[in-house]
Amino acid sequence: MSVLGVVVVPNGKHPKVYATVLAGTLSAPTLEDAFQLTPTAVEPSEQAVELADLLSAKLTSSMSAAAIRVAGNSPIATRYKAQFSRAHCEGALLFVLRRHTQQEVRTIVPAGLAKSLGLTNDAFEALVVQLASGKANADAVRAGLTMLPK
């Protein structure tokens, strides 16, 4: 069985979704796949729907669990368009992943993540560097690692 880690990155008018499919265990993780989704729609609500459809097409029956790296700050307090767009997209993706896995989708923020998994920050970041192909999908890897069994 594999797990999916997802992050939405605001990027001008078109947010990007980075996803990683991981397998194995937390002590011996393997990267099965990594992909990026970019909507063509302009309006945040349409972007969210389009990204949900794109992600849905990528899901396989072997994906048993998922986690989304969410923004640490509230989009309501700032009302920046990028944060609203990110929140729309995170919600739509969460819905698709919940329906697919039939279980709770974990939402994570990086602060304190290594400690919650029983790892040192250095050990956790070494795993991230080993699996991530770049900074953009590192948060997707972090999210996916939280779903792997120890």
Side-chain angles (χ1 to χ4, degrees), residues 1-79:
M1 291 297 189
S2 57
V3 300
L4 185 71
V6 178
V7 63
V8 177
V9 178
N11 185 26
K13 294 181 180 180
H14 298 281
K16 293 185 183 295
V17 171
Y18 294 93
T20 57
V21 181
L22 303 176
T25 63
L26 187 58
S27 59
T30 59
L31 177 68
E32 290 188 341
D33 192 14
F35 55 90
Q36 174 184 322
L37 307 172
T38 305
T40 57
V42 176
E43 290 301 313
S45 60
E46 289 302 311
Q47 289 172 343
V49 171
E50 186 177 350
L51 286 170
D53 286 342
L54 290 170
L55 180 62
S56 184
K58 290 279 196 178
L59 299 177
T60 66
S61 61
S62 68
M63 293 176 192
S64 60
I68 299 176
R69 193 282 197 210
V70 295
N73 55 347
S74 168
I76 304 303
T78 59
R79 297 202 183 271

Side-chain angles (χ1 to χ4, degrees), residues 26-27 106 112-125 127 145-146 148 150:
L26 187 58
S27 59
R106 185 173 293 163
L113 192 55
K115 185 177 180 179
S116 71
L117 296 172
L119 299 171
T120 65
N121 279 335
D122 291 341
F124 185 66
E125 289 306 313
L127 285 175
L145 286 171
T146 67
L148 290 176
K150 293 184 181 188

Side-chain angles (χ1 to χ4, degrees), residues 82-100:
Q83 291 304 325
F84 269 109
S85 176
R86 182 177 186 166
H88 281 65
C89 294
E90 288 170 350
L93 298 176
L94 192 143
F95 178 78
V96 167
L97 292 170
R98 173 65 177 88
R99 282 280 170 98
H100 179 78

